[in-house]
Structures are given as C-alpha cells and as structure tokens.
Amino acid sequence: MKKQVVLYKKLSPMLMSRLQAHADVTLIDEPKSDGLARLRAALPEAQGLLGASIKLDAALLDLAPKLEAVSSVSVGIDNYDLDYLDQRGILLSNTPDVLTETTADTGFALILASARRVVELANLVRAGQWKRNIGPLHFGSDVHGKTLGIIGMGRIGEALAQRGHFGFSMPVIYHSHSPKPAVEARFNAGYRSLDALLQEADFICLTLPLTAETEGLIGAREFALMRPESIFINISRGKVVDEAALITALQQAQIRAAGLDVFEREPLNHDSPLLHLNNVVATPHIGSATHETREAMARCAVDNLISALAGERPANLVNPKAWAVR
C-alpha cells in the first residue's frame, strides 16, 4: 500500500508523476492563506510531508500522529523543531549543494549592484533624470582588489570566496565557528575574529544559518565597528541582523551601502525605511530563484522523501538522532 504524502509546494509534472508512483499525494495550494486549514485537515493521515516556507512547530505536527518524514525544499532548517522531531523519530531532510552556486551568484550580484549603485542609477535613467555625464556625486566604488569578508564559511561562503578570489582578485578573510585550513589554502584566505573582520573588510557578507547562536549576531555594536566605506551584504537569514540597527547605520552613513536578499519579516513591509534609502539594493529572497535550481531542489526533496518512506536513510538527512530511534 502506498504511503500518504501531503505536498504543500507545487511540483513540475515530471516530479509529481515520480512522487505519485511511490505515494498517494494530497496537494495543498497556498498553505499560507486559506490552505493552512486544508493542510491541518490533511495532517492526521500524513506519513510524509514535502514543501517549504511554513513553520512546522509541535502544535501543527501534533496533528500528524502517523508522520514518518518531512522533506524540506530548502537548506535552512529554522522552520523546524529538531528536538521535537528527534523525540518522535520523524526524519527531516533538506536540499544542500544544489543551490550553492546560484545563491553565491546572487550574493555577488548584490556586491556589484551595491558597489556600482546599479539600481539607484538605473532608476535615475528610467526617470528621465540623466541629462549629462555623471560626476563624482554618482560615482560608485571598485570591487576588484577589495577585501571580501565572509561570515559563515560553509558551502555558499566557499562559492562566494571562489568568485571573489579568482574572478576579482579580492583578498578573502572569513569568520566561522572554527578555522578551515583547506579554505585558507585554496583561496589564500585569512581567518579573523568577528570584530577584526568587521573592521577590516570592504565587503561584509553573511552566509551563515539562522540558529539560536546567530540570531541578532549583527547589531548596533557590530555596525559601529565597520568603516564608512564598508558595504554590507546579507544572503543568509534576515533575523541574523538587527534590522533597526542596520537602518540607522545606513541613514547615518556608518556604512556606505547594503545589498539585502533577506529580511526580519518577509515579504518586506511596504513602509520599511529600507525601501526609501538609495544606498540599499533590496531583492525578494531570490537566492536560489532560478528555474534550474528550484527544479533541482524539488527533485532532491522528492528523492529524499521517497527514500525515507521506503525505510531507507535519505541522502540529506538533517537529524540522525531520529534515524537512530526508528
């Protein structure tokens, strides 16, 4: 008998057919709106869940007594209570690797757009305000040869370092929970304390996950350590940064600019001061948002769930403790 799967993210026809060959699938459209009620109604029979962008807390998963596995179409796991999943023996899998290069592309796009003031000056042209050759008032800053500081040297951090080191001759410095000799050898990178990196880097890029330890990591004290020429880039999670402190730092020219793909609350409120600052490039959480990468992520998630429901250990298991108690 096929297992019962609740799907709260649309799949391509090919991937839907693959999943349906292994499970009876209930698709919940728009689970963040009225679909949440239908998701709740479907949970009692669910043995597998597949989707993204919904916080699956204990109160919600208590409605799913038969649940065996959750397959997240994402890398971040901050929407899941790992202790709860471990206690129940529910396997959680995610989709690392497949989005690394695409997300690093987004990070470097924000570096270039912020440094060269691409959005601000493109809007000037669009508004018909380009009347003469631009002067120093609209000059940007170079990227090549500048110091790239990366906070969080995981897969995406390494991919960002590769672009900076080999593509733009940027000295690379980084901060993570421990030094990484292989990274240092490959990119001639230097390990720094967080404070030293903030003081030294021209571009300060966050690529670390949201955890209890990293939430609010960058606040008023940290922005005060940065130089007025610094450009701040966040492609990790919005809550790693105190957004009010970031706004103040930008308004008071403590830092030159910011390129932001993530925010404390998403979607970003229309009245956020960030939307009224010319030195901010804001994108709607597009880190992995390409056709190719999103399909690869969904394929990975489907494979993870099929393996888990077949009694096999998923290739991208997040919580091995749950596997041990099964």
Side-chain angles (χ1 to χ4, degrees), residues 267-326:
L268 184 65
N269 287 339
H270 72 278
D271 59 351
S272 170
L274 292 171
L275 298 179
H276 303 285
L277 293 170
N278 283 333
N279 56 346
V280 172
V281 177
T283 52
H285 205 148
I286 62 170
S288 63
T290 67
H291 292 294
E292 300 91 339
T293 295
R294 288 294 174 87
E295 181 71 1
M297 291 170 66
R299 185 184 311 115
C300 180
V302 167
D303 290 344
N304 285 335
L305 187 58
I306 290 172
S307 294
L309 294 181
E312 303 168 359
R313 180 174 173 138
N316 301 294
L317 181 66
V318 171
N319 57 337
K321 286 183 180 179
W323 176 259
V325 304
R326 287 171 66 89

Side-chain angles (χ1 to χ4, degrees), residues 58 61-62 65 67-68 81-92 319-326:
L61 293 185
D62 278 345
L67 189 62
E68 300 174 18
D81 184 335
L82 292 184
D83 289 337
Y84 173 88
L85 296 176
D86 287 345
Q87 290 170 9
R88 285 191 52 187
I90 298 171
L91 304 182
L92 174 66
N319 57 337
K321 286 183 180 179
W323 176 259
V325 304
R326 287 171 66 89

